Each structure stands twice: as structure tokens, then as C-alpha cells.
Amino acid sequence: MKKNIEIARGERKAELVFKNANIINVFTNEILLGDVAVNSGKIVGIGNYSSNQEIDLKGKYLSPGFIDAHVHIESSKVTPGQFAKAILSRGTTTIIADPHEIANVKGVEGIQYILEESKKLPLEIYLMLPSCVPCTTFESSGAILEADDLESLMREERILGLGEMMDYMGVLNRNEKIMKKIKLVHQVEKIIDGHAPFISGKELNAYVVAGAKTEHECSTIEEMIERLRLGMYIHIREGSAAKNLKKLIKAVNKDNLRRILFCTDDKESSELLKNGSIDHNVRLAIKAGVDPIDCIKIASLNAAEAYGLKKIGAIAPGYQADLLVIDDLKNFHIQAVYKKGELVAKDGQALFSIFQKKYANMENTVNIGDIKKEDLRILLKNKKINIIKLLPNSLITEKVTRDIDNNIIIREDGEYIQGQDIQKIAVIERHKKTGNIGLALIEGFGLKDGAIASTVAHDSHNLIVIGDCDEDMLLAIQELKKVGGGITLVSKGKVLETLPLSIAGLMSKEPLEKVDEKLNKMLKIAYDVLKIKKDIQPFMMLSFMALPVIPKLKLTDKGLFDVEKFQFIDLSI
């Protein structure tokens, strides 16, 4: 402290000084030309300083590092280290991760895996403890986490609170197990992330009074405004499947922007490499007309203050030297990234190495029996049926009814075969070999002459498969069983391509670039060979068709689920 005071007063040289920087001040919405002095990873002074190590920015902009306020590392399909390489190079220096994907497969062991793998990374990773494992009782997960399981972790420094409370009905109905988790987080005075699309009025009041402080599932401006009025923070999300920024940013103004955060939630590795992380949110917001400094404030200070991270999110004395060098505030090209004063990325390239440990207990997680073709049969009782209908760029689905006519081909015994843009979808329990298989029909995917299967299926991550041919669906299931989890494409009795995800059936051991190369190849096959609609990200979209907390109709291993009624329904009406 004495040394820092001496440097701040100009009585002593700093370890590092950024000279002639256009410093972005998120407290006063100013850009100030000056120097930034850094010592032992902290900012100690702003003004006119000198050092034996000086970096002349020549008028380039110096911004605080960005914070992704809500993200699932597992959705990138790579390990925490590979994920760090991708996003640090794009200016995201801190993330608040919810590891409920791997927790649904491996429980507390999965959470500890993320904690251990992220310990020595330059990317600062905080965690929210998964609140809903499983997210509902209407599906089968690999683990069940109760309040007692979370208690030992809740007081850890890198644990910021309770992750997205998807079981909002459990909150509203005062479910005893949910109440214990809420009590646990209140005892340590930490935060609860919300996840309650569409609830309103008194029900929303009840949800907020229980402690839900944030929301990332707003799909309309009306939802967003109602939650802001109740004191919630709103994550404006721009992920791979769910893209809400362009709509919601229209409601951001000088009066409410201090309650706005940016997040990615779920983002494929290909999009991380192509568009970036939170820097993509910032660019889109600037393009939509939001003041650049306000965009940076949303991406840094707002998130830090919302989650109680007191020493990041701004350029000021005493703050961590998480700094971005930016050429201009329009194209927003990030030239260099500093974490605690150390250069960790330059011109889009990570400048650090990672070491991956071996975690045998995270592998061999596809535990299913011998699935037969008969197990995939759908017997329709009559001519009117409930169907899941996809909506482009949205995790929300429509519940539609269709009459069996010439577009839907069935046999005399009532078995569904195929229909025009209507495919069969199945969710197979893969953790405990229960034999559960949920079957339904889905519209809007566009798949023809094949099948896609994945062990990434939010949030319980059972095996999900879609196809217009039972033989291809069966082959896809067998392929994922063989490789220990992943994503596969099958057509006309042949496996076209597979991405193995050996870590919990969710993440690859391979470098990000290799995973991206394989996924891009598979996307091309999905669009060109299987004729998937071009406005759908097939792997991400498919993975959310098993999530029974996002309206309106989803499928779990236990059956077709009406989210609004919160109950199972029959396929035949």
C-alpha cells in the first residue's frame, strides 16, 4: 500500500504505464487523454506518470475489460482453458458461469471440475451454483443437487450465488426443497439469478421477493420494463440460438441503463471465433444507436456492481488492471488485452498456454441399453395431433395442432412414418440406463433423408435425436453410444460425421480451432445434405428442445411437456 501511494503521488516510478491513452471513464461518461499507471496488477494512478516500461498508445482508446454476466462454458463444447483462449482475445476478461450443464451429468463432481480447470487461467471465472439439477421433476438427470449438496460450496470466494432459478413454479408454490436453497443463499447474502419467462403481475412480485435479482429470458420489451420496475437487472443476451439484443436494446435509455447487463448465455465455438463474445454485444448495441461509453459501461461496471465484484469494471485507482486497447469506437477492433497488467492477447490471438489435467471420472457418461427400432415407433390414436413448432432465432416454441392428411404419412396400424417438414424427435435417458424414451413430432427444422443426434440436450443432457427415418435415428443413437457422447449426422444408413464430446458428453478435449473446424464441416453437411433450414442453428436449437422450462412445448425422456400448463400431454388429441 505504501508503494502504491508513493507511485500515485509521483514520488516513485510505476511498474507499467500506458501513455497517451484516450481513457474511457465509465463513472462520468467521459474520454480523458492521459496516462494510466499500473503496479502489481492494479491501477494506481491516472494523469501524468512515468515508468521504465511504458506503452505509448498514441491516442488509442483504453477500456475496462468486459464481463459476461451469464454464460455456460459447456455450450462452447470445449474445456474452460480453450474457452478462455477464445474470449480473452476478444476482450472478455471475466465471466460469471453457471455450470448447470455438467452438474446435470456429474453433480458436485462436475462443478468441482470447472473450479479446478479454471484456477490458473488468466480469464477470471466466477460461478453461480446450479439451482435446479434437474431443472424440473419432469425429466431424468445424471445427478440431483439439494441444498445440503450446495452448502459446502456456497461460501467459496469464487461462488457468487445461486444460478438461474428455472423452477419458478417451485418458488411460487413454496416448494420445500427450493425454499431451502433460497434460504441458503440469503444466509450468505449472495445473489440469485432469475429465469422466469412470461410470468407477470403478482406472480412476478412473488418471484422477486423470493430473491431473484436478474433475468436473461426477456423476449419482449414489455417483459423487460416490468422487471426493471421491480428492481431486477436485465441480461441482454446474444447467443447462438437466442438473440434478443436487437429487440431489447431499443428500450435502453439513460434512465435505466445502469440496470442492464450483457451476456451470451450459450454460444457455439464457431460464433465465438467469428463474432466474439461480449464485444459482439457491444458492437451491435453501438450500431443500434447506443452511446459507445454506455455500451462499455453495460459490458463492465454494471455487471461488476450487480454481482458485487468491487475491484473490476472500471479504470480508476485501486481497480484491477483489466484493460483493453481499442483502435476506434465504431468498428471496435480490440488490439490488445491486459489482465492484471499482463498482456494476454494481441490482435485476436491468445498469448498464454493452458494445461489440461486428466479427469477420467468425467468420461464414459453415455449409459443406455440396446435401443431397437420398435422403441422409436409412434402410434397415433386419431387424426389430430400436438406438434412442437420451431421459431427462428428463439428458444421458445409454439404448440400447434395438425390434422393427418396427405402431408403426414402413416401406416394402417397408426405408426407415424414421415411428413412434410414434420420429423420425429426422441429423448433417451442416458445416465442411469432407465430405458425412458420420450417421443414426439416437430415442425420447422427442415430435415430430410437423415437424422441428427446429440448428448447435449438442456438441461438434463439426455440423448436427443431428430430424424425422418427410424433406421437413421437408430444408427445415430448407436454412434453416440460408441464414442461416449457428442454430436453426429447420419443419412441413408451412413454416419456422415461425428464430433466426440468425451467430457461428460458435453465437451471435447480438442483445441477450440479443431472443434470449430469439425462443427463448421458438420453445419455444411446439415444445411447442404440434410436440408436444415438456413435460419436455424441446428445443433444449438436441437439441444434446447428438451428444456421443459421454456414455453411452450418441449420433450423430455418422460414425454411431451406443455410448459405453460406444467404437465405432460398426449401426442394425439
Side-chain angles (χ1 to χ4, degrees), residues 291-547:
D291 177 84
I293 301 177
D294 285 337
C295 293
I296 292 167
K297 185 184 297 186
I298 292 169
S300 55
L301 183 64
N302 287 8
E305 291 185 347
Y307 286 92
L309 304 175
K310 296 180 179 178
K311 294 300 178 183
I312 62 173
I315 300 176
Y319 278 71
Q320 208 163 273
D322 298 351
L323 302 168
L324 314 180
V325 179
I326 302 167
D327 55 1
D328 68 79
L329 298 184
K330 183 180 179 182
N331 298 317
F332 223 84
H333 173 63
I334 298 170
Q335 295 186 332
V337 180
Y338 292 82
K339 182 67 179 176
K340 296 181 182 178
E342 295 288 330
L343 181 65
V344 294
K346 188 173 182 181
D347 294 325
Q349 297 297 313
L351 301 178
F352 59 93
S353 301
I354 58 172
F355 174 74
Q356 288 182 196
K357 299 177 185 177
K358 292 184 179 180
Y359 293 90
N361 60 329
M362 291 293 113
E363 299 184 51
N364 301 313
T365 60
V366 180
N367 186 22
I368 60 176
D370 292 325
I371 309 298
K372 301 179 179 64
K373 184 179 174 181
E374 305 87 76
D375 297 323
L376 301 177
R377 291 181 67 195
I378 290 179
L379 294 178
L380 299 174
K381 299 174 186 175
N382 53 48
K383 291 189 176 184
K384 203 172 189 66
I385 51 178
N386 286 309
I387 288 184
I388 303 167
K389 183 178 180 181
L390 293 184
L391 298 175
N393 296 322
S394 177
L395 304 183
I396 296 167
T397 59
E398 288 293 333
K399 174 187 175 183
V400 299
T401 59
R402 295 286 181 259
D403 292 320
I404 294 176
D405 55 23
N406 293 332
N407 289 330
I408 298 179
I409 304 169
I410 60 169
R411 288 208 301 248
E412 287 184 6
D413 62 4
E415 183 187 356
Y416 168 81
I417 305 300
Q418 65 182 24
Q420 185 176 348
D421 199 18
I422 296 176
Q423 294 86 37
K424 188 181 291 185
I425 185 169
V427 175
I428 301 162
E429 193 279 327
R430 65 131 167 147
H431 305 294
K432 298 174 182 176
K433 210 173 183 177
T434 64
N436 289 351
I437 300 178
L439 294 166
L441 299 176
I442 190 166
E443 177 181 310
F445 218 84
L447 183 148
K448 291 181 180 178
D449 296 327
I452 301 175
S454 174
T455 50
V456 180
H458 301 281
D459 277 333
S460 290
H461 296 291
N462 288 305
L463 194 156
I464 189 167
V465 57
I466 182 174
D468 65 353
C469 169
D470 288 354
E471 289 82 1
D472 283 346
M473 292 176 73
L474 190 61
L475 180 57
I477 293 165
Q478 293 167 343
E479 171 72 1
L480 292 189
K481 182 180 178 181
K482 182 176 75 174
V483 301
I487 302 169
T488 190
L489 303 174
V490 171
S491 181
K492 299 178 180 178
K494 182 180 178 182
V495 176
L496 302 180
E497 194 62 76
T498 300
L499 172 67
L501 300 172
S502 59
I503 300 175
L506 302 174
M507 293 181 283
S508 170
K509 296 177 182 178
E510 295 292 330
L512 183 79
E513 291 75 15
K514 284 192 175 182
V515 172
D516 177 52
E517 183 181 346
K518 177 66 71 75
L519 280 172
N520 283 333
K521 181 179 179 182
M522 292 176 72
L523 275 174
K524 183 172 175 53
I525 293 170
Y527 292 131
D528 295 348
V529 179
L530 298 181
K531 306 303 180 184
I532 303 296
K533 291 186 176 181
K534 293 292 177 72
D535 58 359
I536 286 175
Q537 212 295 351
F539 311 136
M540 186 70 79
M541 188 66 78
L542 180 62
S543 73
F544 278 100
M545 292 304 102
L547 183 56

Side-chain angles (χ1 to χ4, degrees), residues 8 61 66 158 171 203 229 320 378 411 420 426 467 475 483 564:
Y61 295 92
F66 297 154
R158 285 203 289 146
V171 176
E203 289 190 336
R229 285 171 176 161
Q320 208 163 273
I378 290 179
R411 288 208 301 248
Q420 185 176 348
L475 180 57
V483 301
E564 293 180 316

Side-chain angles (χ1 to χ4, degrees), residues 243-302:
K243 302 176 187 291
N244 306 120
L245 189 144
K246 289 182 181 179
K247 179 180 287 186
L248 298 183
I249 205 71
K250 295 174 184 177
V252 175
N253 57 49
K254 293 288 185 181
D255 296 322
N256 64 28
L257 71 86
R258 293 292 277 119
R259 308 297 289 186
I260 307 297
L261 317 175
F262 283 143
C263 81
T264 59
D265 197 5
D266 298 280
K267 209 160 191 180
E268 295 276 9
S269 56
S270 56
E271 285 205 45
L272 286 172
L273 290 172
K274 180 182 177 182
N275 297 324
S277 174
I278 296 301
D279 59 311
H280 184 53
N281 295 51
V282 171
R283 274 190 293 272
L284 288 177
I286 292 172
K287 190 175 180 180
V290 181
D291 177 84
I293 301 177
D294 285 337
C295 293
I296 292 167
K297 185 184 297 186
I298 292 169
S300 55
L301 183 64
N302 287 8

Side-chain angles (χ1 to χ4, degrees), residues 32-228:
L32 306 170
L33 184 63
D35 305 336
V36 176
V38 176
N39 187 63
S40 298
K42 282 187 176 181
I43 298 165
V44 294
I46 296 172
N48 184 13
Y49 288 93
S50 61
S51 170
N52 292 328
Q53 183 184 358
E54 294 183 349
I55 300 171
D56 190 352
L57 295 186
K58 299 178 181 177
K60 292 174 185 174
Y61 295 92
L62 200 61
S63 164
F66 297 154
I67 301 169
D68 192 334
H70 176 73
V71 61
H72 304 288
I73 297 171
E74 305 97 308
S75 292
S76 68
K77 299 178 179 62
V78 294
T79 61
Q82 294 293 337
F83 185 74
K85 280 192 165 186
I87 69 171
L88 262 173
S89 61
R90 304 299 290 260
T92 298
T93 54
T94 301
I95 66 169
I96 298 161
D98 183 341
H100 74 213
E101 318 297 356
I102 199 166
N104 267 281
V105 180
K106 297 296 294 184
V108 171
E109 275 188 309
I111 299 170
Q112 289 172 335
Y113 164 79
I114 298 292
L115 282 169
E116 286 298 314
E117 277 287 282
S118 59
K119 262 184 180 177
K120 296 182 180 180
L121 296 174
L123 176 69
E124 208 160 347
I125 298 179
Y126 293 94
L127 299 187
M128 302 292 285
L129 289 182
S131 63
C132 303
V133 175
C135 71
T136 70
T137 58
F138 302 103
E139 58 190 321
S140 304
S141 63
I144 297 173
L145 293 182
E146 306 292 5
D148 291 344
D149 302 306
L150 302 176
E151 189 169 7
S152 61
L153 291 167
M154 188 60 80
R155 296 183 186 278
E156 286 207 15
E157 186 179 357
R158 285 203 289 146
I159 304 294
L160 301 183
L162 200 60
E164 50 186 302
M165 181 52 72
M166 293 175 283
D167 190 0
Y168 53 84
M169 291 304 297
V171 176
L172 300 180
N173 294 327
R174 286 83 72 198
N175 176 277
E176 185 180 346
K177 292 180 178 181
I178 295 293
M179 290 297 103
K180 282 185 178 180
K181 292 175 183 177
I182 290 173
K183 182 180 179 182
L184 174 64
V185 77
H186 285 321
Q187 284 173 341
V188 293
E189 297 182 339
K190 293 187 177 182
I191 194 170
I192 299 175
D193 274 338
H195 182 294
F198 296 147
I199 69 167
S200 183
K202 289 181 178 178
E203 289 190 336
L204 181 59
N205 275 281
Y207 189 64
V208 173
V209 82
K213 199 67 179 173
T214 72
E215 179 62 86
H216 63 274
E217 288 294 341
C218 289
S219 58
T220 69
I221 287 174
E222 290 74 20
E223 277 187 291
M224 174 178 163
I225 296 299
E226 184 179 13
R227 283 153 177 74
L228 286 171

